[in-house]
Amino acid sequence: MKTIFMLLICVCSAVCAAKPTMFGNVKGYTLTNSGAMLQFSHIVFENGKVLEIGDQTLLNQYPDSLFIDGQQKTMIPGLIDAHGHMLGLGNSLLKVDIRDVKSAQLSAKKVGDYAAQNDHLKWITGGGWNQVLWPDKQFPNAQQLDEYVSEKPVLLSRVDGHAAWANSKALAIAGISKDTLDPPGGKIIRDSQGNPTGVLIDTAMYLVTKHLPNQSDDYYQASLNAATEHLHSVGITSVHDAGIEKAEYDFFKRLALEKNLDVRIYAMVWYEDPNLEAILNAGYFNDAEDFLSIRSVKAMADGALGSRGAALFENYADAPDNKGLLVIQEDQFKPLFDLVLKHDFQHNLHAIGDLANHLALNQFEASFKDVGGKNLRNRIEHAQIISLNDIPRFKQLDIIPSMQPTHATSDMNMAEDRLGKDRLLGAYAWKRFIDQGSPLPLGSDFPVELANPFYGIHAAVTRQDRNNQPVGGWVPSQALSLQQTFKGFTIDAAYAAHQEDIIGGLTKNKWADFILIDQDIFSIDKDQIWKTKVLETWVAGKRVYQAKPN
């Protein structure tokens, strides 16, 4: 009895001793859910949630709080990336990266060096190549890889994830030859004799990827750890993971229930997973501490602009015989949309070309009449090239355009070549959406683009790359204000995940997810924003990252 009594005293003492934490002496910025800016110098949080923000008078209201001096550093909410790929990012950090290599030949050599250093691997995988940035702007070929790696299969994804570069060994394993037909929604690039060159577009990639070794939970964990560490270092505390399959679904759920997630994940179930209907029937998943939310589906309508896979009404300006590809054929739209919406899951559709966006809007409109679901905050991911007549339909149908600012600055060197000037009027048209009142969640599409959100903020407000080119910005009429962009990476991103009441800001009762940064982005020249460094990252009132001192 005495033992039980002493235990109760200890428990009571621990509870009574718990104190709120106060971060003071900061230059703090946050938004209300309506987008109004609030500034503060002190913030108080307890049990992972914000109690109050204000000025130094909070010292009198919370005299027993644990005080941390912010030393006049700038504090903002943890940033939300509204479109990324968690394990894809981790995978890229663990594999060969040829993102910044200046030619196909140099890329192949780097792959050869990586293969030599990783002799234990059965397949050599990685990616990041972008032929548009190479001197000849031509697709690579299998022979260039064969020169360095011929005994093992090699498969390298293009930077946008909509094309892959294979060596001859990988093509042979997949049985791809002159006689292999293009799959629906895909294309095998061929030479003048009809032989496969080694580049596979969209669904043609699956001919090879289905032969890749299955990933284990250990590899998932290593990928997640690498991705989480990187995201914390750049100030991202929450990610909308744009497409997970059943194995990842189970993996994330297990970690959430074990309280072993350190970054918040809003996961979209991949539409082609054979378990999709069972997952829909199981309903929403959300853990008690809001680290994992599953209530949406991600589908793919078309390809990407760089690989000429985006589905257009008219031919590509630089490829007169090509209008791109529909990954989901038009007769497949209705059964998929109806299935997702009737289960009350948010439907998020990748659509880049103007035709793909038009068909998506048409089907949303039809499915809302048939099965409902207009209230689910459905999204079109990327929404890159849109007919001017279709932009108002996003607002009319309550479809959220989920967009990525660095796509514009990465694509600007080829977008006009692909589209011509006329179609640029509805391309990367962020300001048109803001002006009509559409919420505009922003992200990066990592690892397609670099995950650093300050690169995205800089691109949104300047329409320039990190060399501040072109002078005056590319199509500057579509640039956003800094406050609009800040809202896109916080409140609007949270809204697009049905989470605006729990994250995205530092107002009362939201999770205390915040970052300290080395410069005040609201007072510096906008061309300096991309240089911002994260000093500390906190999630649910706990520090999860601290930069090493210089």
Side-chain angles (χ1 to χ4, degrees), residues 311-374:
L312 305 177
F313 279 114
E314 304 296 335
N315 288 324
Y316 279 81
D318 58 356
D321 59 343
N322 183 14
K323 293 183 179 180
L325 298 164
L326 282 174
V327 175
I328 302 175
Q329 300 309 299
E330 195 168 349
D331 62 355
Q332 297 173 317
F333 273 60
K334 179 175 172 51
L336 174 63
F337 280 57
D338 288 358
L339 174 68
V340 174
L341 295 175
K342 75 180 183 183
H343 282 88
D344 286 331
F345 269 59
Q346 179 193 61
H347 192 37
N348 302 332
L349 189 72
H350 163 118
I352 289 182
D354 51 11
L355 175 61
N357 276 278
H358 181 75
L359 294 175
L361 292 168
N362 287 352
Q363 189 56 60
F364 272 123
E365 186 171 14
S367 290
F368 291 160
K369 292 177 181 176
D370 292 343
V371 299
K374 186 178 179 181

Side-chain angles (χ1 to χ4, degrees), residues 186-261:
K187 180 183 288 188
I188 300 168
I189 301 299
R190 305 173 192 269
D191 63 20
S192 57
Q193 284 76 47
N195 296 306
T197 65
V199 172
L200 309 168
I201 307 294
D202 287 311
T203 60
M205 294 187 292
Y206 302 156
L207 300 173
V208 176
T209 57
K210 67 183 180 182
H211 296 280
L212 290 169
N214 291 330
Q215 303 293 1
S216 66
D217 267 12
D218 287 343
Y219 191 83
Y220 282 161
Q221 188 66 62
S223 296
L224 180 63
N225 291 347
T228 299
E229 181 179 355
H230 179 69
L231 294 173
H232 285 163
S233 76
V234 295
I236 294 172
T237 56
S238 181
V239 171
H240 300 182
D241 197 333
I244 64 165
E245 297 184 338
K246 181 62 162 55
E248 297 165 272
Y249 174 91
D250 291 338
F251 173 67
F252 286 147
K253 279 186 67 174
R254 176 172 62 79
L255 292 185
L257 292 171
E258 293 172 354
K259 300 185 178 181
N260 282 327
L261 285 174

